[in-house]
Amino acid sequence: MKKRILAVILCAALAATAFCLSPVVQAADTDKSQSSAGTIKSADDFSWDNASVYFLLIDRFKNGKTSNDHAYKRNLDQSGKPAYGRSNAAAFHGGDFVGITEKINDGYFSDLGVNALWITAPYEQIHGYVMAGSGKQGSFPHYSYHGYYAADFSQVDQAFGTEQEFQTMVDTAHKKGIRIVLDVVMNHVGYNTIADMKEYGFGKLKNGWETPYYNHTITDSSDNGYHSFIDYYDSSWTKWWGPQWIRAGLGGGYQGGGGDDLTKELSYLPDVKTENGSTVDIPQYLQTKWNKEGTLSKKKTELNTFFSSGKSKTVRNYMVCWLTSWVEKYGVDGFRCDTAKHVEKASWKALKEQGLKALKTWRSKNPTKPGADWDEDFWMTGECFPHYVDYDGYYTEGGFDSMINFSFNDDSKSFNASGRGVPDAGSINSLYADYAGKINTNDKFNVLSYLSSHDTTLCRNNMIYQGSAFQLLPGAIQIFYGDECNRPLANAFEDHNLRSDMNWSSQDKNLLAHWQKVGKFRSRHVSVGAGSHKNLSGILPYI
């Protein structure tokens, strides 16, 4: 299959831009017979090579349904009343699938030229909170509103909505030509919490745990004895994930974390043994949980169906099954893979291969669904701090179509002398030429560049200029929710500061209009992200 990227002249008359651009993006004729997801242009003219990906935290974006705000009794005191206190910035705020669907229907993303939504993990998170904090910030109750502390990979978190609401969100996005990308984790599961230990009977709690746990108003540097009420060395920890599944340094035969990237307990999170080639059973914790929910038989049947194809019951394959079930069941289009360097590349490759099969299966089983006629393959991008524009083993061995490019949000690599962001107009041409020359001459190579993120910082440096220069970058780009409208910091603590609620009532309308104009231009011209780069002779394209 061949794809010709038509030559275009990037318009020099983009009104209200901080600079205008008119290089020729030349035609590229490439053989796609062995192409990956990023190099195939779909029937609706979408290409991952030119994707504009909008990254949002489900819980922080829009609260569409308040009845699920306290799912699993989160953020409540012992009497069942809301108890935020200092935990507010690290608590669940109410954003959900319904809220996202409302904004899809409103045309918010289409008006920005966005053609892919990257959302935080929708699967079930730990129910309770952990104590977190350091230095002058003290300790504070920290919930898994961000989606990185998984409790059950196989079902939706009720705070975000129902299965049907998730499916409606995906279908609605597809009707608008928008792909859905899930943030997924293979490296770790969520922490144990007092609430989860009590609910599912693993580990050992000491008498009196209720007093520290329900104290949501901690104001000093103490955790009020939270951890002292947990016996971390009791043999009953085998009732949790189990020593064959995770490294956690607990009683019950668990192995502690190692000293390298693949075996360490990142931030003390239980490290999943994806490299374990032994046959393992479903963790006792999940069996207890599913039995309590009345779904144990159904869950076992789903797993047995997956393993009936001849795959061995290893930790890796369980994880691959659970994660790709979101693709096969709902029609999810891609994954953003968290902490890629902390998982062996063979596991990522296995995830990609199953993702490819799962998306094809969903399309064949749902021929009348929006998106079923799209022909680009399942897509996968990876987060490996600090990865730049380098073609390496993540592509050739790990199966990734793309890697996140940290160049514009990393202190050591920031090009802009006056702050984070893409280079100033005087040097932007060389960057465009460099990126196009590297990325768009290799069918299997792409990057996802970004300005702001949930765990580094927010770029707020001359955002009119960034709205032009950043959105015209070769390769795919990622907009962090609120970049387009000057969402402010949360005035909170640590990285929760970066995850404020979307500023619907105080958006910078002039900035938003500018990002919309350039974003729609980008989305209409695949050669912005996917073409070659050459200046027109005798023209000053950047002013």
Side-chain angles (χ1 to χ4, degrees), residues 75-77 81-91 93 139-141 143 214-219 492-493:
N75 309 338
L76 299 177
D77 64 19
K81 296 179 180 179
Y84 288 112
R86 273 193 82 214
S87 69
N88 187 35
H93 287 188
S139 292
F140 53 88
Y143 285 93
Y214 288 109
N215 180 6
H216 287 73
T217 56
I218 298 166
T219 57
F493 34 84

Side-chain angles (χ1 to χ4, degrees), residues 359-425:
L359 185 55
K360 290 177 181 178
T361 298
W362 177 82
R363 288 173 176 167
S364 66
K365 288 183 176 180
N366 298 276
T368 62
K369 282 263 192 177
D373 61 340
W374 294 342
D375 54 9
E376 81 275 3
D377 286 332
F378 179 79
W379 181 79
M380 217 165 76
T381 190
E383 179 258 333
C384 174
F385 182 82
H387 201 281
Y388 306 115
V389 186
D390 303 307
Y391 185 68
D392 57 16
Y394 285 103
Y395 300 87
T396 58
E397 301 168 42
F400 286 98
D401 302 290
S402 163
M403 294 297 289
I404 292 175
N405 172 26
F406 286 81
S407 295
F408 310 124
N409 199 260
D410 175 8
D411 284 330
S412 66
K413 289 286 185 179
S414 181
F415 292 96
N416 196 308
S418 59
R420 288 179 173 86
V422 296
D424 293 320

Side-chain angles (χ1 to χ4, degrees), residues 81-130:
K81 296 179 180 179
Y84 288 112
R86 273 193 82 214
S87 69
N88 187 35
F92 279 80
H93 287 188
D96 47 35
F97 306 139
V98 172
I100 297 170
T101 302
E102 288 177 1
K103 299 311 292 184
I104 297 171
N105 278 323
D106 288 349
Y108 186 79
F109 303 109
S110 298
D111 287 345
L112 274 169
V114 165
N115 47 30
L117 286 183
W118 156 13
I119 66 171
T120 43
Y123 43 75
E124 188 174 346
Q125 302 295 300
I126 55 176
H127 294 181
Y129 67 78
V130 293

Side-chain angles (χ1 to χ4, degrees), residues 124-417:
E124 188 174 346
Q125 302 295 300
I126 55 176
H127 294 181
Y129 67 78
V130 293
M131 295 305 298
S134 60
K136 66 180 181 179
Q137 300 289 2
S139 292
F140 53 88
H142 177 185
Y143 285 93
S144 184
Y145 67 89
H146 43 62
Y148 293 115
Y149 303 160
D152 186 343
F153 296 95
S154 70
Q155 58 195 43
V156 298
D157 190 291
Q158 294 174 20
F160 303 143
T162 65
E163 290 186 6
Q164 183 55 55
E165 288 164 351
F166 181 81
Q167 183 69 75
T168 298
M169 181 194 69
V170 174
D171 291 345
T172 305
H174 284 175
K175 287 178 184 177
K176 297 280 190 177
I178 298 171
R179 276 65 179 167
I180 294 292
V181 177
L182 298 192
D183 209 327
V184 299
V185 180
M186 288 185 75
N187 174 56
H188 57 264
V189 296
Y191 298 106
N192 67 286
T193 75
I194 287 177
D196 291 272
M197 292 171 65
K198 178 64 176 176
E199 186 173 5
Y200 297 116
F202 62 84
K204 183 178 181 180
L205 291 173
K206 300 177 183 178
N207 292 333
W209 62 267
E210 295 89 350
T211 299
Y213 183 77
Y214 288 109
N215 180 6
H216 287 73
T217 56
I218 298 166
T219 57
D220 56 27
S221 60
S222 169
D223 66 8
N224 203 34
Y226 180 101
H227 293 288
S228 68
F229 286 88
I230 301 173
D231 185 344
Y232 286 102
Y233 302 102
D234 189 78
S235 60
S236 62
W237 284 102
T238 55
K239 297 179 181 179
W240 195 26
W241 287 89
Q244 286 190 299
W245 273 82
I246 61 172
R247 299 177 183 86
L250 298 167
Y254 286 83
Q255 176 186 9
D260 58 55
D261 282 338
L262 294 179
T263 61
K264 70 190 297 185
E265 291 177 68
L266 186 66
S267 298
Y268 302 103
L269 284 157
D271 182 65
V272 176
K273 293 183 174 181
T274 46
E275 81 290 350
N276 181 5
S278 301
T279 298
V280 298
D281 198 3
I282 301 167
Q284 183 59 53
Y285 148 71
L286 286 178
Q287 295 191 53
T288 300
K289 179 179 184 294
W290 294 340
N291 187 58
K292 186 175 182 179
E293 295 167 350
T295 61
L296 180 59
S297 177
K298 175 176 178 288
K299 299 287 187 181
K300 283 186 173 181
T301 298
E302 290 171 349
L303 286 166
N304 288 335
T305 298
F306 177 82
F307 288 118
S308 66
S309 64
K311 291 183 174 64
S312 57
K313 293 185 176 182
T314 61
V315 172
R316 174 188 295 168
N317 286 334
Y318 276 99
M319 294 292 288
V320 167
C321 173
W322 287 328
L323 294 175
T324 59
S325 68
W326 292 82
V327 181
E328 185 168 337
K329 184 173 183 178
Y330 301 105
V332 166
D333 304 283
F335 288 158
R336 177 268 187 185
C337 300
D338 186 61
T339 56
K341 71 178 177 181
H342 298 293
V343 177
E344 65 283 352
K345 294 182 180 68
S347 287
W348 292 127
K349 185 177 181 181
L351 183 68
K352 174 64 183 302
E353 290 175 346
Q354 187 60 36
L356 290 167
K357 295 177 183 177
L359 185 55
K360 290 177 181 178
T361 298
W362 177 82
R363 288 173 176 167
S364 66
K365 288 183 176 180
N366 298 276
T368 62
K369 282 263 192 177
D373 61 340
W374 294 342
D375 54 9
E376 81 275 3
D377 286 332
F378 179 79
W379 181 79
M380 217 165 76
T381 190
E383 179 258 333
C384 174
F385 182 82
H387 201 281
Y388 306 115
V389 186
D390 303 307
Y391 185 68
D392 57 16
Y394 285 103
Y395 300 87
T396 58
E397 301 168 42
F400 286 98
D401 302 290
S402 163
M403 294 297 289
I404 292 175
N405 172 26
F406 286 81
S407 295
F408 310 124
N409 199 260
D410 175 8
D411 284 330
S412 66
K413 289 286 185 179
S414 181
F415 292 96
N416 196 308

Side-chain angles (χ1 to χ4, degrees), residues 37-108:
T39 58
I40 298 176
K41 189 176 72 170
S42 187
D44 64 344
D45 290 330
F46 170 84
S47 170
W48 287 109
D49 288 338
N50 188 52
S52 292
V53 182
Y54 192 97
F55 170 32
L56 61 85
L57 274 69
I58 300 170
D59 180 68
R60 296 301 198 247
F61 192 65
K62 191 175 191 301
N63 192 349
K65 188 175 76 171
T66 58
S67 61
N68 57 16
D69 286 0
H70 295 287
Y72 313 109
K73 300 181 180 180
R74 293 181 180 129
N75 309 338
L76 299 177
D77 64 19
Q78 198 164 1
S79 66
K81 296 179 180 179
Y84 288 112
R86 273 193 82 214
S87 69
N88 187 35
F92 279 80
H93 287 188
D96 47 35
F97 306 139
V98 172
I100 297 170
T101 302
E102 288 177 1
K103 299 311 292 184
I104 297 171
N105 278 323
D106 288 349
Y108 186 79

